Amino acid sequence: MAVCAWLCRVGVVRGCRWLGVTWEQRRGDAGDSEPGTDSDEAGGGAAAAAEDEEAVGPAGRVSLSLLELPPELLVQIFSSLPSLAHVCTAFRRILRTDTIWRRRCREEYGICENLQKLEITGVSCRDVYAKHNVQGCLWQCGYYPGWMGVVDGLFIIRWMYLLPHDPRVDDLMRFKPLFGIHLMERKCASVECMYGHKGSHNGHIQIVKKDEFSTKCNQTDRHRMSGGRQEEFWTWLREEWGWTLEDIFHEHMQELILMKFIYTSQYDNCLTYRCIYLPPSSPDDFIKPGLFKGTYGSHGLEIVMLSFHGKKVKGTKITGDPNIPAGQQTVEIDLAHPLQLPDIENLCSFSELSHIVLEVREQVCAEGEETTAPASQPFVLPMGVISRNEDYSRTCRICYYGMGLIAGHGFTSPKRTPAVFVLFDDDCFGFIWLELKSFSLYSWIKVSFQNAEAPSHKAFDEMLKNIQLVAT
């Protein structure tokens, strides 16, 4: 309270309040009083006189309270010193000003877009800041992973992370709120669904087990748009892909996008979430394991979790598509068999690369000895290999033999085919699917998920097994 008394010029016994003489009275100014000034607390008598006497400096000048500074200066001060919220009630009230948190979101996390749109839906900038700053868990739900954060211990928001627009794999992840839980009492809570286009509304949550829960919207009409399903599809296409229907010329791609829209809109009112771990890391890992955004041809961008398992590196889908569902192992890398690519002229030939990979495949099938990893080498995609993103490095650190999972719609006739893993740098790698003649580019997701790393390799392996069982 001593600090509070010095900053606010208040009495310790009577709590945090203004001086008996207000700012306007001391300055001789007219006008409205400062926000937070309680007229009934303005007291006289000996105590107030003593406070006034303390407020006068040696030269007879009035010593001003911090709260009497202009609002613009208060925002500057409290943006830099959020711990002031613990000093007194008045400071805590000021720290709830959204201008402060909007500025911190912009300066500390570079969040500029979506803020105005989120405020319209009832989510404050303070909630957005807390999403990036507090401890939480990582959850998987169908196509989308999510992250849950606790704000002040009284409000839980479940955020849906959205991938960048295809094929800009290097762009930052986007996000929007999906539902919120207000914790009123120990055994009482209210749930708000924030999905849709008409603001938050009533929802329901059910705990299935320790690491799994389900949400249900009680007002699904709030998800619908006045223009019907056609308007909803156009809006979803712009938000999800950054395109309009006229931008999509490929008939097969149109079919896949429509299938994804039907799936996501069909289950937007009842979703099940499962807690997932980030893979444990080791100093010997040639790339940091974790979540990567990857281009998947006409499917657009998807999220893959890269993890190390001895001499194997596995990529597990966290988001799915009509061919390969979430939870399946989409890529596998054999660290015992690095590849020596041909020189840059011969590398342009797809048949030359295919010949090298198939030779290594025979060694793998024969369980041959490990080969020596070659040095850094130039890289270019062979002729005929399709890539939606050409913004990859023209040199690579190392290449490995790999296997990629492909299947028909509905995960029919799945099979693993030979592939080439290409490591570009610490944050980026590529994968050439030989049978599909397609190239996927992956970029590390630069989001700090606190307390999401697996407690042990055993716990992580168990989690991978569980999500794969659910997928099959």
Side-chain angles (χ1 to χ4, degrees), residues 41-114:
E41 288 183 350
E51 289 180 4
D52 289 342
E53 192 173 319
E54 287 180 6
V56 179
R61 293 174 299 179
V62 176
S63 178
L64 303 181
S65 161
L66 177 64
L67 292 173
E68 295 165 349
L69 293 173
E72 295 79 6
L73 290 179
L74 288 176
V75 169
Q76 295 275 354
I77 294 170
F78 281 78
S79 295
S80 303
L81 300 171
S83 58
L84 288 175
H86 302 291
V87 173
C88 66
T89 305
F91 284 9
R92 195 175 304 116
R93 186 164 55 245
I94 293 175
L95 257 297
R96 291 182 182 142
T97 304
D98 225 35
T99 306
I100 293 173
W101 300 103
R102 188 182 300 113
R103 177 182 174 184
R104 299 199 74 184
C105 285
R106 183 176 62 252
E107 293 182 354
E108 296 182 32
Y109 298 115
I111 304 172
C112 298
E113 59 179 18
N114 295 330

Side-chain angles (χ1 to χ4, degrees), residues 127-377:
D127 296 336
V128 176
Y129 182 85
K131 175 186 75 69
H132 284 78
N133 198 40
V134 301
Q135 298 176 350
C137 300
L138 188 64
W139 300 82
Q140 180 200 28
C141 176
Y143 283 117
Y144 302 109
W147 184 72
M148 178 174 289
V150 179
V151 182
D152 288 344
L154 297 175
F155 188 43
I156 297 175
I157 299 181
R158 196 274 177 181
W159 299 85
M160 181 167 67
Y161 272 89
L162 299 174
L163 285 156
H165 291 148
D166 178 70
R168 302 198 295 267
V169 71
D170 288 330
D171 287 359
L172 296 176
M173 297 284 285
R174 300 171 294 134
F175 60 91
K176 66 179 181 180
L178 200 56
F179 70 82
I181 307 171
H182 293 268
L183 304 177
M184 310 299 184
E185 301 173 1
R186 181 176 294 272
K187 294 184 179 180
C188 179
S190 65
V191 179
E192 288 184 9
C193 178
M194 300 177 180
Y195 192 87
H197 310 278
K198 299 180 180 179
S200 59
H201 46 280
N202 189 31
H204 175 73
I205 187 169
Q206 179 181 0
I207 306 299
V208 180
K209 50 187 178 181
K210 182 180 178 181
D211 57 353
E212 186 176 321
F213 68 94
S214 297
T215 60
K216 183 178 181 180
C217 176
N218 296 334
Q219 298 173 273
T220 53
D221 58 301
R222 303 293 294 271
H223 297 186
R224 308 281 72 91
M225 302 184 74
S226 58
R229 300 292 278 174
Q230 188 176 29
E231 183 184 357
E232 291 172 18
F233 175 69
W234 288 339
T235 303
W236 175 84
L237 191 62
R238 286 192 300 269
E239 292 179 351
E240 179 89 4
W241 296 77
W243 300 342
T244 63
L245 202 59
E246 292 75 17
D247 297 327
I248 309 170
F249 300 105
H250 199 287
E251 184 177 346
H252 178 60
M253 191 169 193
Q254 291 179 355
E255 178 188 358
L256 293 175
I257 290 175
L258 186 58
M259 289 174 65
K260 189 171 184 178
F261 169 73
I262 293 173
Y263 179 92
T264 54
S265 58
Q266 182 180 0
Y267 296 101
D268 62 1
N269 65 322
C270 188
L271 299 169
T272 299
Y273 306 85
R274 297 173 183 85
C275 184
I276 60 175
Y277 296 127
L278 291 178
S281 58
S282 166
D284 297 331
D285 298 340
F286 64 82
I287 189 172
K288 185 178 180 180
L291 299 177
F292 288 80
K293 301 159 287 183
T295 56
Y296 273 79
S298 297
H299 292 299
L301 299 188
E302 298 187 24
I303 295 179
V304 170
M305 179 183 288
L306 202 70
S307 56
F308 285 75
H309 305 265
K311 288 294 181 180
K312 303 286 185 182
V313 180
K314 299 178 181 179
T316 305
K317 275 198 174 185
I318 301 302
T319 59
D321 58 52
N323 291 64
I324 310 293
Q328 290 293 340
Q329 181 184 314
T330 177
V331 301
E332 182 178 290
I333 305 151
D334 190 345
L335 300 183
H337 293 87
L339 293 175
Q340 176 65 60
L341 298 178
D343 55 60
I344 199 67
E345 289 79 11
N346 292 328
L347 183 56
C348 292
S349 169
F350 177 79
S351 59
E352 184 72 21
L353 176 64
S354 180
H355 176 71
I356 293 174
V357 174
L358 293 179
E359 280 188 345
V360 175
R361 184 187 187 184
E362 292 179 1
Q363 298 176 15
V364 173
C365 294
E367 296 182 352
E369 297 181 358
E370 296 184 19
T371 54
T372 305
S376 177
Q377 50 195 320

Side-chain angles (χ1 to χ4, degrees), residues 120-132:
I120 294 174
T121 63
V123 179
S124 68
C125 292
R126 185 163 173 254
D127 296 336
V128 176
Y129 182 85
K131 175 186 75 69
H132 284 78

Side-chain angles (χ1 to χ4, degrees), residues 410-447:
F411 198 46
T412 56
S413 305
K415 63 177 180 178
R416 300 197 177 275
T417 62
V420 179
F421 170 84
V422 185
L423 177 64
F424 293 113
D425 54 46
D426 292 337
D427 298 330
C428 185
F429 68 88
F431 203 76
I432 302 177
W433 310 72
L434 289 189
E435 186 165 327
L436 300 178
K437 290 189 176 181
S438 177
F439 176 72
S440 294
L441 184 65
Y442 298 82
S443 178
W444 190 55
I445 293 181
K446 298 177 177 65
V447 176

